[in-house]
Amino acid sequence: MEKNKQDNYQQWSKEYQKMRGVPAEQDLKYNLSGIPIKPIYTAHDIKEETLSYPGEYPYTRGLYPTMYRGRGWSRRQLIGLDTPERFNERQREMIKAGSNAVSLIFCNSFYRGYDADAVDPLLVGTCGTPINTIEDMEIAFDQIPIDKISIALNDPIGFTGLAMLLVIADRRGIPYSKIIGTSNQSDFISHFVANHMFYRISLEGSLKILLDHIKYTNKYVPNWNPVSIVGQHMQQAGATPAQALAFTISTGITYIEETMKQGLQIDTFAPRFTFFYDISISMFEEIAKFRAGRRIWAKLLKERFGAKDPRSLRFKFHGQTSGAELTRQQPLNNIVRVTIQAMAGILGGAQSLHTDSYDEALGTPIEEAARIAINTQNILAEESGIADVIDPIGGSYYLERLTDQMEEEVWGYIQKIDEMGGMLEAVRKGYVQKVIGESAEKYQRQVDSNQKVIVGVNKYQIDESEDKRPNLTRVDQKLVQKHLKRLENFKKRRDKSKVDEALSRIVAATTNDELNIFAETILAVSVGCTHGEIIEILRKCYGFGHPNIV
């Protein structure tokens, strides 16, 4: 039987070479990670060992025995719009449309560490919701059951947004144990190397803030994920899928090591560590990335850190379809791109998913585009049958070989970063920034030379006029002025002495390990401190972070 199979392969190989003019073994393509792709894969390309079952170590086929048969992925839609009132209105519409989790994108002014009254009013609310005070947060979450729905706060270092949410919980009489969700942008290393929009606090200061956030939530907010290690920023900035996976896992290693130095045992906090990834249109590569990630993380936690609790070994991740791949040209094509990316995330075993709106390359999504985005997930979940079988592509010769190759590629990067002294040292030396920059440049050269086809951009173009573009969501300047007036009145009404005292306690916490910065931040927002004031005082204490760009 084996001889017949080999004879058949040789015959196929001859026919292939006759038609292509080159042997199949030499006719290679390369995916985004630079892994060579052959024309065909057979049983000889995969390891003979039997694949584990879903829910079994090392979790290649999924984290849980039942996967989507037991519980579907959370369908999140990241929304940041105009003002807190508009965010609240749109988010409630999305919940009615089928979204079963809440994600809040803050205004760019927030990410830079400023209140809305410190920036040009024309910029306020253009890319997210300005949340400056506890009053803003209460408006944003009005009539949203924060104790019954998972919430993702896209908040750098993850602390002022959650602090405000916990104050709301106090005011509604909700115990912190009922608050479920994720500090979705708490991974300061990813901001430092790949997202220069976010406010900068020195690496040392950012680490102290994050560790205090982890320690507090670990003790008092047990169902909150304090760390979301973000590969999305890195991949959007130009990292390949393999590089994004390697750098996030290395970041996770650093955060685990630093948290353990604080006296916490691995199994008390590791189950709440999560990941956040970009999902490109390179479908099989992305599926292999997530399968390899589960395998690598499980081995690291078990073998390097001695974790005993199976929950500590779980590589839980949120996926977002790639905004970097959306095009301004022929934007309706983006619906197809997003669908393929979403399928890759689902087939890769995502725990939650955001699907981009087709018009995001042009501006804040219009209501119709946002509805299509969430219905893309609804159709995949309810109509396609994609979730009926666990790891349905598992056993594919190609996918299994690609998963092995992805794992090998990632281990190579992890070893190099370990040899450099860990992720913080690799960032200080500019190594990670250099790798991402080189990958971004290589990709752009391929697009510019038409080696990489982008439909509507460098092939299959059509003559487009601006009047054919979809209507864009515009920020209502009347709403912005109303928001700024509310902020002005809020600052006038508060007790300034309590504000000053609370800020001084935050300053004290930066040098006193007996005090917790996050605990003091909760107190600060409750007495009226604004987001901008808290970040300003921390910048003064820790200094401004300057990433080393090589």
Side-chain angles (χ1 to χ4, degrees):
M1 188 63 135
E2 285 298 322
K3 184 177 184 303
N4 288 340
K5 285 184 178 179
Q6 188 63 26
D7 288 344
N8 290 342
Y9 178 83
Q10 295 298 334
Q11 181 60 37
W12 168 84
S13 182
K14 289 177 182 178
E15 292 296 323
Y16 185 94
Q17 182 171 357
K18 186 188 303 181
M19 298 181 72
R20 288 283 291 167
V22 62
E25 291 76 12
Q26 299 174 23
D27 194 11
L28 303 176
K29 292 189 175 184
Y30 294 85
N31 62 19
L32 295 175
S33 296
I35 295 172
I37 306 299
K38 301 192 303 181
I40 194 169
Y41 288 79
T42 70
H44 295 288
D45 290 294
I46 63 174
K47 297 174 182 177
E48 293 184 3
E49 60 197 46
T50 303
L51 276 172
S52 62
Y53 284 95
E56 287 185 358
Y57 180 87
Y59 306 104
T60 306
R61 305 199 68 185
L63 292 181
Y64 307 103
T66 59
M67 284 305 289
Y68 302 140
R69 279 277 184 126
R71 178 183 177 184
W73 66 91
S74 297
R75 300 169 215 172
R76 297 186 187 276
Q77 288 306 110
L78 278 67
I79 294 177
L81 197 64
D82 281 6
T83 60
E85 293 92 339
R86 290 274 286 129
F87 166 83
N88 179 263
E89 177 186 335
R90 177 69 66 83
Q91 188 60 68
R92 286 159 62 186
E93 288 171 359
M94 288 296 96
I95 292 172
K96 288 180 181 178
S99 179
N100 56 11
V102 173
S103 287
L104 172 58
I105 295 287
F106 296 96
C107 177
N108 284 352
S109 58
F110 181 99
Y111 289 129
R112 290 186 168 90
Y114 302 111
D115 290 330
D117 57 2
V119 300
D120 186 338
L122 293 176
L123 300 178
V124 175
T126 53
C127 292
T129 305
I131 301 290
N132 309 128
T133 68
I134 180 60
E135 188 174 58
D136 295 336
M137 199 69 161
E138 286 185 307
I139 293 170
F141 282 89
D142 181 42
Q143 298 183 59
I144 292 176
I146 63 173
D147 55 337
K148 294 180 173 63
I149 194 166
S150 177
I151 298 169
L153 298 175
N154 293 271
D155 182 355
I157 314 180
F159 71 117
T160 56
L162 179 59
M164 293 178 188
L165 188 68
L166 294 179
V167 172
I168 293 174
D170 287 334
R171 293 179 178 181
R172 294 186 187 179
I174 298 171
Y176 289 176
S177 60
K178 293 262 182 95
I179 303 300
I180 299 172
T182 302
S183 294
N184 221 26
Q185 302 285 354
S186 55
D187 169 18
F188 68 88
I189 288 178
S190 73
H191 308 157
F192 211 80
V193 301
N195 196 332
H196 303 299
M197 175 183 72
F198 285 2
Y199 58 77
R200 296 275 173 223
I201 293 173
S202 68
L203 282 173
E204 292 71 24
S206 296
L207 180 61
K208 161 68 172 168
I209 294 167
L210 177 61
L211 291 173
D212 279 5
H213 184 65
I214 293 171
K215 287 190 290 185
Y216 186 93
T217 53
N218 189 66
K219 186 173 182 179
Y220 298 109
V221 199
N223 292 311
W224 189 264
N225 301 323
V227 178
S228 175
I229 305 164
V230 187
Q232 189 219 22
H233 296 156
M234 298 180 185
Q235 196 162 323
Q236 295 259 308
T240 68
Q243 290 165 352
L245 181 60
F247 294 155
T248 50
I249 289 178
S250 289
T251 298
I253 291 170
T254 292
Y255 291 158
I256 285 175
E257 291 173 343
E258 294 295 335
T259 303
M260 291 179 75
K261 289 177 185 177
Q262 302 296 308
L264 277 69
Q265 299 299 309
I266 185 68
D267 285 324
T268 65
F269 67 87
R272 307 309 304 183
F273 275 33
T274 64
F275 293 83
F276 177 9
Y277 285 105
D278 193 60
I279 309 173
S280 76
I281 203 167
S282 183
M283 184 173 178
F284 288 95
E285 184 176 5
E286 292 292 348
I287 299 169
K289 177 178 80 176
F290 298 131
R291 297 170 99 247
R294 283 193 289 272
R295 194 186 289 175
I296 294 167
W297 188 248
K299 291 176 181 177
L300 276 169
L301 269 289
K302 183 176 183 179
E303 297 171 14
R304 183 184 294 201
F305 294 109
K308 306 292 188 211
D309 188 339
R311 296 177 304 160
S312 298
L313 313 184
R314 291 173 181 163
F315 179 82
K316 297 180 293 184
F317 74 93
H318 168 75
Q320 179 171 345
T321 59
S322 180
E325 292 182 338
L326 302 182
T327 64
R328 296 176 64 86
Q329 300 89 337
Q330 303 176 44
L332 290 176
N333 289 342
N334 293 329
I335 297 174
V336 180
R337 294 186 175 100
V338 167
T339 303
I340 295 169
Q341 294 160 352
M343 289 175 65
I346 296 163
L347 293 170
Q351 277 61 64
S352 65
L353 183 65
H354 165 86
T355 35
D356 290 331
S357 300
Y358 70 82
D359 58 350
E360 286 190 40
L362 302 170
T364 301
I366 61 174
E367 185 176 344
E368 177 196 47
R371 189 180 299 111
I372 290 172
I374 189 62
N375 276 333
T376 299
Q377 293 198 53
N378 293 339
I379 290 167
L380 287 171
E382 309 292 349
E383 296 185 32
S384 72
I386 195 171
D388 290 350
V389 174
I390 303 167
D391 190 30
I393 311 182
S396 155
Y397 299 141
Y398 172 40
L399 182 62
E400 298 304 340
R401 176 58 182 151
L402 188 55
T403 300
D404 292 342
Q405 289 175 296
M406 184 69 74
E407 182 180 8
E408 292 164 11
E409 185 87 0
V410 171
W411 278 119
Y413 280 109
I414 293 172
Q415 182 179 357
K416 183 163 187 175
I417 290 170
D418 282 347
E419 291 168 354
M420 295 177 73
M423 193 63 175
L424 281 173
E425 194 58 34
V427 170
R428 289 190 185 102
K429 291 177 178 177
Y431 166 73
V432 177
Q433 298 92 305
K434 181 174 182 289
V435 170
I436 292 174
E438 289 174 346
S439 293
E441 184 181 10
K442 179 180 178 182
Y443 178 84
Q444 191 58 50
R445 283 200 307 267
Q446 291 174 336
V447 173
D448 292 343
S449 65
N450 292 340
Q451 288 178 268
K452 173 70 176 174
V453 172
I454 309 294
V455 173
V457 176
N458 59 6
K459 196 173 183 180
Y460 310 112
Q461 301 101 321
I462 61 174
D463 182 24
E464 295 184 277
S465 59
E466 287 295 328
D467 60 343
K468 292 181 181 177
R469 298 278 176 87
N471 294 324
L472 300 181
T473 299
R474 302 295 184 186
V475 177
D476 186 337
Q477 282 302 306
K478 290 181 181 179
L479 290 177
V480 171
Q481 290 304 317
K482 181 181 176 182
H483 177 82
L484 292 173
K485 187 64 178 178
R486 182 171 65 240
L487 177 58
E488 179 185 352
N489 291 335
F490 179 88
K491 289 182 176 181
K492 288 178 180 177
R493 292 196 314 268
R494 62 191 181 165
D495 187 330
K496 191 65 167 59
S497 63
K498 290 183 178 179
V499 167
D500 292 340
E501 181 183 356
L503 291 175
S504 68
R505 288 182 63 87
I506 290 177
V507 172
T510 63
T511 56
N512 185 345
D513 288 339
E514 298 300 314
L515 297 175
N516 184 290
I517 293 174
F518 184 68
E520 300 303 333
T521 300
I522 297 172
L523 173 63
V525 299
S526 72
V527 300
C529 294
T530 70
H531 168 75
E533 290 168 338
I534 293 168
I535 300 306
E536 180 182 12
I537 204 73
L538 287 169
R539 271 198 185 127
K540 288 179 179 177
C541 292
Y542 286 125
F544 195 83
H546 295 281
N548 182 13
I549 306 297
V550 178

